[in-house]
Amino acid sequence: MLAQRVVTALVLLPLLLALVWYAPTPVLYGVLALVGLLMAWEWTGLMGWAAKGRRWAYTAACGLLLALAWLAPGRDILLPVLLGAAVLWWIFAVSLFPGFPDNLSRRQTSGLPMALLGLLLTVSTLLSLAALHATGPLKLLFFLFIVFAADTGAYFAGRRFGKRKLAPNISPGKTVEGAIGGLLLAGVWALLAGIPIFAPAGAVQAALLLLLTMIVAAVSIVGDLTESMFKRVAGIKDSGNILPGHGGILDRVDSILAAAPVMVLGLLATGL
């Protein structure tokens, strides 16, 4: 399993870096939209939709929305509205953690609200990534590595220091100490890379960049826990099997789903 994970990462990471660095933003969005179709298909699995017709229809609807969102004349006006709605969901998602699993049932994750949520999160996330890329590939890479840093820091800190469970009913392996380690590593990343990339004007903006980075890292953990929660309700281990050793697309991007809208809204709010 570990060997599969490493091989998959070694194949995908250079492709991702090349896409971000060399592709123009419309091409990047087009590739991301294709990934979004896979995400939509896997989301129907979280909803427990077994009928292939329903799954194909939902995936097609997601593709149509992704195209319309990109081609919409008022995309710059639409984006903050979509991001705001997504961020409100992630704030609400945190409130579900303490009472899980008694407060969430299969019926609640198989209906229209869950279907609409999947469309909102997919479209808002992919538009966020494209918006970041349009301001410069380095800014998008900086964001992606916030998520990687939070995940890596949480893994190693959790293995070394982890004692207190963060959300035992959702993800028993995650610890409070691991989460703190992830936040700290993300903070170090902000200081080492964020300052040169964003060139904040003065100490206040530098502090805002550090704060935003830590918030984005924290929200990435919320995204991970939320997908784990939905998978437990659905009774599945992975959202899919397209990535050997990693599971499905959603298993790899759950943190990004939560973090990307927060990152873009934060940048808009702080003027960074």
Side-chain angles (χ1 to χ4, degrees):
M1 179 68 74
L2 179 59
Q4 283 184 323
R5 290 175 67 92
V6 171
V7 170
T8 301
L10 289 176
V11 171
L12 292 182
L13 186 57
L15 294 176
L16 174 62
L17 293 176
L19 179 68
V20 171
W21 194 255
Y22 293 109
T25 301
V27 173
L28 174 81
Y29 184 80
V31 174
L32 292 178
L34 294 177
V35 176
L37 297 180
L38 296 174
M39 292 163 56
W41 180 269
E42 291 180 1
W43 191 267
T44 62
L46 295 182
M47 293 190 290
W49 288 8
K52 289 293 180 68
R54 295 180 74 188
R55 301 187 75 177
W56 279 114
Y58 184 82
T59 302
C62 183
L64 178 61
L65 282 178
L66 286 168
L68 291 175
W70 181 256
L71 297 174
R75 189 175 73 222
D76 292 340
I77 299 174
L78 175 66
L79 182 60
V81 176
L82 285 175
L83 300 189
V87 170
L88 287 176
W89 154 254
W90 292 114
I91 294 172
F92 172 74
V94 176
S95 71
L96 297 175
F97 296 165
F100 185 79
D102 298 331
N103 61 348
L104 200 61
S105 68
R106 157 58 68 197
R107 179 179 59 82
Q108 292 169 294
T109 60
S110 61
L112 181 61
M114 183 73 169
L116 294 176
L117 176 64
L119 296 175
L120 169 66
L121 298 184
T122 301
V123 174
S124 63
T125 297
L126 300 193
L127 285 177
S128 296
L129 297 178
L132 276 172
H133 186 264
T135 64
L138 281 177
K139 292 185 178 180
L140 177 54
L141 290 175
F142 173 77
F143 161 72
L144 293 174
F145 277 91
I146 292 176
V147 177
F148 298 158
D151 185 55
T152 302
Y155 175 79
F156 286 105
R159 284 177 61 90
R160 177 64 179 84
F161 304 107
K163 292 181 180 179
R164 293 171 292 175
K165 300 297 183 182
L166 182 63
N169 291 333
I170 299 174
S171 185
K174 288 183 171 55
T175 63
V176 173
E177 293 80 5
I180 293 173
L183 295 181
L184 291 177
L185 187 57
V188 171
W189 172 246
L191 295 176
L192 293 179
I195 301 297
I197 290 173
F198 287 88
V204 173
Q205 277 207 325
L208 287 174
L209 176 61
L210 176 60
L211 176 62
L212 176 60
T213 300
M214 302 284 275
I215 292 173
V216 168
V219 175
S220 74
I221 298 173
V222 173
D224 190 352
L225 288 173
T226 301
E227 199 227 353
S228 295
M229 181 173 63
F230 287 152
K231 287 192 294 186
R232 285 188 174 276
V233 173
I236 58 177
K237 181 179 182 295
D238 297 317
S239 65
N241 55 14
I242 194 170
L243 301 176
H246 291 267
I249 298 293
L250 285 175
D251 295 321
R252 291 300 90 206
V253 304
D254 48 10
S255 298
I256 293 174
L257 279 175
V262 174
M263 182 72 184
V264 174
L265 272 185
L267 292 175
L268 291 173
T270 58
L272 287 166

